[in-house]
Amino acid sequence: MASFNEKTIYELNDEYSIILIEDFNNHLKIELYQNQILTYDVLLNDHQCSTITHKLCETKAELYNLLCDLLITMKSSISVTNSRYLEILLPIYFGHEKTRTKVWIFKIEFQRFLFIDDKKMDEISLDPLDWTEIRSLGHQIMDDMINYLSDIRLRPAWRPMPPIVRKAIAQTDIPLKGQSPFEVYDEVCSLVLPYSVGNNHPHFWGYVQGTGSLIGAFAEFITGTMNTMSWGGHQASIYIERQILSWLKVLMNFPNDDTSSGLLVSGTSVATIIAMAVARKKFCNRTMKVYCSKEAHSCLIRAIDLLNIGKENIISISTNSERQIDLKALEAALDPYSCGFIVGSAGTVATGAIDDLKGLANICARRPNDLWFHIDGAIGAVARCSKRLRPLFNGFEHADSIAFDLHKWLFVPYECGCILIRHGELHKSTFSQPAASYLTLMDGGITPSEGEVFFSDYGLELSRNMKSLKVWMTLKTYGIEKFGQIMEQNVDQAKHFVRLIEQYSNQFEVLTTGPLNIVCFRCIVSRSHVIDLEILNKLNKQMLITIQERGTAVVSPIAIDHNKFGLRMCITNHRTKMSDIDKFMEQLSQLADELLNLPEYSCLLN
């Protein structure tokens, strides 16, 4: 034992020595020297002292006193092992006349010092110094998020973000120095949580956005903690994704064997790009025309742009009275000398119309070498979970590709979609490239060459997050049958809303509806005389904005027959109840009366 700058140095084995500092920034500090050179140290709070000693010492002061006593009286009981551990062996005597002995062993791990330009630097990490403190924040966040969902009916469906909040976010300087995670979380609670688009709320019926689920949120936390890149390799996320794709193939009545393929992606937009790229590969980069109805989703245009197919090659086909693609018009439009990408909608965005998928399959079957049958199932494909709704989607079994979302009506947290491709080898050859040397497949280890799927060979991304766990946990927790029941419930709620509008036919009318969960409607004021369309459209726009800004509900705008402005309700929500629909209809009626008393609309009553 020696003294250095009024600090007590305790000599140990192999030219090691330590200095104990009882109260260093409210921690017990232990410095480790080798040949009188400081190489490691460690800071310990009360909780860490208790954990390390297996609750033998409850506080840093108790551990300090214990170490001092041992270093003075039983020096041989403390040694340095593996260059960075302080190992303490403490004999415990017990039994009659203290004749029995056991050894209490615990270790203290040091953190290394870095020497840069002769200056001593601590090694750092993003892990917390105090796991107990950060655990308390984690528990608080978990409790708050569960309360956020359980109390969701107590909040408005949506609320505008005040200018002061937007200003607070915009004026935040780049964070050169960190701050307390508790302070950061407080900002999340004040600046972020109150101002979502509202899709978790039971009265959110605007855009086709799913509500997610609590189990899905838990899965996202686990996924973020694991932080694995699911490009491939011998890891659980790959096997989970393969199993999910197998389940989804069965659900979609798609070939469930090694000849077909699939991939979890961010959503149907990316899935469509992948399907179109594979089709073009099949056609050996010949000029490919894309045939779709006027009701088809705009993601097709984006895919055509990105793949440089050319907008002149998209052929928009008229629809019939059910807003389905007109098969006769399609056949008449088909170019007999070029290849074609035929799109069937399994639920259009605007009205939920479902094309005659079997009819489209029959058209494509006549020219299998020239036509590719693609199904856009972003809205309705997962409704195959319902035995009652499943017959609406007959024809899936004939598709060359199916794109659909899981983050909408299957309530998986954003973002998650899927693409299924009938021709697996063609799919792989479209995207796979010679691997860089660091991605070389081996005879074993993490990247085995036999029997494994590398999903980076089937899509746009090498860096892929693990989407599979939230899907796997969601499906296993709730089951396909329950999802089917909720989808039937949403469809029944939409039909109930149609009946309510008919009861309020003196104020409202249905513009269009389909076989699924979408209703487009508007306020008409009166059926007794002709009303100026421009003013009527203005009234309905004001009605939509007022509904949203009051937090009553969220519905979205829609243009029907090009010039009729309407309100669009799409019920993709497991929290919605029939009573919510009843209440909404009453509020709509009251709002109509309120708006018609305003000077700019009073003329509609004259």
Side-chain angles (χ1 to χ4, degrees):
M1 186 167 61
S3 178
F4 177 72
N5 289 343
E6 298 182 355
K7 296 179 182 177
T8 302
I9 301 176
Y10 297 94
E11 303 292 341
L12 299 176
N13 58 308
D14 299 328
E15 299 181 333
Y16 285 107
S17 57
I18 62 172
I19 290 178
L20 305 178
I21 303 174
E22 181 178 4
D23 193 8
F24 183 88
N25 292 334
N26 204 31
H27 287 75
L28 167 61
K29 184 177 184 183
I30 307 176
E31 297 178 342
L32 178 64
Y33 294 79
Q34 186 175 20
N35 296 322
Q36 299 184 348
I37 297 174
L38 180 60
T39 55
Y40 295 86
D41 78 347
V42 64
L43 296 175
L44 302 173
N45 59 29
D46 288 342
H47 174 76
Q48 290 167 322
C49 291
S50 175
T51 301
I52 288 170
T53 64
H54 314 299
K55 296 188 177 181
L56 178 65
C57 300
E58 294 290 346
T59 65
K60 58 184 182 296
E62 290 181 4
L63 179 57
Y64 172 81
N65 291 328
L66 175 64
L67 293 176
C68 288
D69 289 345
L70 291 176
L71 288 164
I72 293 171
T73 61
M74 301 176 63
K75 180 179 175 181
S76 61
S77 297
I78 300 182
S79 60
V80 176
T81 61
N82 296 329
S83 300
R84 62 179 303 176
Y85 293 95
L86 190 68
E87 183 175 83
I88 296 92
L89 287 74
L90 179 63
I92 304 294
Y93 302 96
F94 62 98
H96 183 63
E97 296 182 354
K98 308 295 184 183
T99 56
R100 301 183 64 185
T101 306
K102 281 198 172 184
V103 177
W104 196 291
I105 302 176
F106 59 91
K107 291 183 178 181
I108 298 173
E109 182 180 3
F110 290 101
Q111 300 296 317
R112 188 175 184 85
F113 277 103
L114 298 178
F115 291 89
I116 302 175
D117 297 332
D118 295 326
K119 293 182 180 180
K120 184 176 64 179
M121 303 291 292
D122 286 320
E123 287 184 313
I124 61 173
S125 165
L126 298 181
D127 286 335
L129 293 174
D130 187 344
W131 285 98
T132 301
E133 183 181 44
I134 205 69
R135 181 177 282 108
S136 69
L137 176 60
H139 287 310
Q140 180 184 342
I141 292 173
M142 183 67 71
D143 288 342
D144 288 350
M145 293 307 100
I146 292 174
N147 290 337
Y148 179 82
L149 292 179
S150 65
D151 298 339
I152 200 162
R153 284 183 174 273
L154 304 178
R155 300 192 297 275
W158 176 80
R159 65 179 68 177
M161 182 179 285
I164 190 171
V165 175
R166 283 181 283 172
K167 186 176 180 180
I169 295 174
Q171 289 186 343
T172 301
D173 295 329
I174 185 169
L176 298 177
K177 300 290 186 181
Q179 64 187 99
S180 162
F182 289 88
E183 294 175 355
V184 174
Y185 177 59
D186 286 343
E187 292 185 41
V188 170
C189 291
S190 61
L191 302 179
V192 180
L193 272 177
Y195 306 109
S196 74
V197 74
N199 54 298
N200 286 339
H201 197 278
H203 294 177
F204 187 92
W205 309 308
Y207 307 92
V208 192
Q209 297 182 18
T211 56
S213 72
L214 190 57
I215 291 299
F218 290 163
E220 286 283 71
F221 177 74
I222 297 170
T223 297
T225 304
M226 291 180 66
N227 192 37
T228 186
M229 193 180 89
S230 294
W231 96 104
H234 192 58
Q235 57 171 319
S237 67
I238 303 305
Y239 293 97
I240 293 291
E241 185 162 349
R242 290 172 66 175
Q243 181 59 64
I244 289 166
L245 291 170
S246 177
W247 289 342
L248 294 176
K249 289 175 183 178
V250 172
L251 180 64
M252 299 299 160
N253 199 18
F254 204 72
N256 184 25
D257 53 37
D258 292 338
T259 63
S260 64
S261 58
L263 187 71
L264 294 181
V265 293
S266 61
T268 295
S269 293
V270 170
T272 302
I273 294 169
I274 291 172
M276 206 174 284
V278 177
R280 192 171 64 170
K281 175 82 171 181
K282 175 185 176 179
F283 299 136
C284 301
N285 293 322
R286 294 159 53 197
T287 298
M288 185 175 74
K289 295 185 182 297
V290 177
Y291 300 88
C292 60
S293 83
K294 296 181 182 294
E295 302 281 327
H297 195 277
S298 60
C299 71
L300 291 166
I301 298 175
R302 180 178 298 168
I304 287 169
D305 276 347
L306 289 173
L307 295 172
N308 200 29
I309 291 172
K311 289 183 180 179
E312 69 276 8
N313 288 313
I314 185 167
I315 312 300
S316 184
I317 307 298
S318 59
T319 56
N320 59 23
S321 60
E322 301 297 320
R323 298 186 181 273
Q324 301 169 307
I325 189 170
D326 188 311
L327 297 184
K328 290 183 179 180
L330 170 63
E331 291 190 89
L334 286 175
D335 185 340
Y337 303 106
S338 67
C339 52
F341 186 86
I342 312 297
V343 180
S345 294
T348 58
V349 177
T351 65
I354 302 172
D355 288 334
D356 181 351
L357 302 177
K358 272 197 167 183
L360 291 172
N362 290 335
I363 292 173
C364 293
R366 297 177 201 143
R367 294 174 56 192
N369 296 324
D370 295 324
L371 300 178
W372 179 285
F373 179 30
H374 174 74
I375 293 178
D376 180 346
I379 304 298
V382 294
R384 288 184 59 88
C385 291
S386 159
K387 291 181 180 179
R388 191 183 93 194
L389 301 176
R390 197 173 299 160
L392 296 172
F393 304 97
N394 288 337
F396 270 49
E397 65 275 13
H398 302 298
D400 292 299
S401 57
I402 307 175
F404 55 100
D405 286 324
L406 307 178
H407 53 219
K408 292 177 180 170
W409 222 355
L410 206 63
F411 312 117
V412 171
Y414 276 90
E415 55 192 25
C416 192
C418 182
I419 180 65
L420 298 179
I421 303 287
R422 181 176 294 273
H423 319 284
E425 285 302 318
L426 180 65
H427 184 185
K428 183 177 180 180
S429 67
T430 303
F431 293 96
S432 62
Q433 297 177 332
S437 60
Y438 67 92
L439 295 176
T440 300
L441 304 186
M442 308 299 290
D443 293 334
I446 292 178
T447 55
S449 58
E450 296 295 329
E452 300 300 327
V453 173
F454 284 79
F455 286 110
S456 55
D457 289 338
Y458 293 86
L460 308 176
E461 300 168 307
L462 175 61
S463 297
R464 301 176 68 238
N465 70 332
M466 182 169 62
K467 294 179 173 65
S468 56
L469 185 64
K470 58 187 176 184
V471 184
W472 189 76
M473 287 183 66
T474 298
L475 292 178
K476 286 183 70 70
T477 299
Y478 302 112
I480 293 296
E481 291 182 356
K482 190 166 189 175
F483 287 119
Q485 292 168 357
I486 291 172
M487 292 165 187
E488 292 171 9
Q489 182 173 283
N490 288 161
V491 171
D492 291 342
Q493 289 162 348
K495 294 183 184 303
H496 178 63
F497 185 62
V498 169
R499 290 192 294 269
L500 289 177
I501 291 177
E502 291 170 351
Q503 293 175 20
Y504 286 79
S505 60
N506 60 321
Q507 288 180 301
F508 297 92
E509 71 173 355
V510 174
L511 291 174
T512 183
T513 186
L516 295 176
N517 54 344
I518 298 177
V519 183
C520 301
F521 65 100
R522 66 173 177 169
C523 178
I524 57 170
V525 184
S526 172
R527 294 182 180 273
S528 60
H529 58 280
V530 178
I531 297 175
D532 183 271
L533 181 61
E534 184 178 347
I535 298 177
L536 192 61
N537 285 345
K538 182 181 177 182
L539 170 70
N540 279 279
K541 290 176 183 178
Q542 184 60 53
M543 177 171 284
L544 182 141
I545 292 170
T546 304
I547 290 167
Q548 292 180 352
E549 292 188 345
R550 289 182 179 178
T552 303
V554 175
V555 292
S556 55
I558 190 74
I560 299 296
D561 300 329
H562 304 295
N563 60 356
K564 296 178 182 177
F565 181 89
L567 289 72
R568 173 179 167 277
M569 170 188 275
C570 178
I571 311 176
T572 311
N573 197 316
H574 63 81
R575 297 190 176 99
T576 298
K577 300 177 180 179
M578 283 291 191
S579 58
D580 295 314
I581 306 298
D582 293 335
K583 182 178 180 181
F584 179 58
M585 190 70 245
E586 293 174 4
Q587 292 170 319
L588 280 174
S589 178
Q590 293 169 4
L591 179 58
D593 292 338
E594 178 184 332
L595 291 177
L596 287 170
N597 285 322
L598 297 177
E600 57 264 45
Y601 304 121
S602 59
C603 61
L604 294 174
L605 298 176
N606 297 329

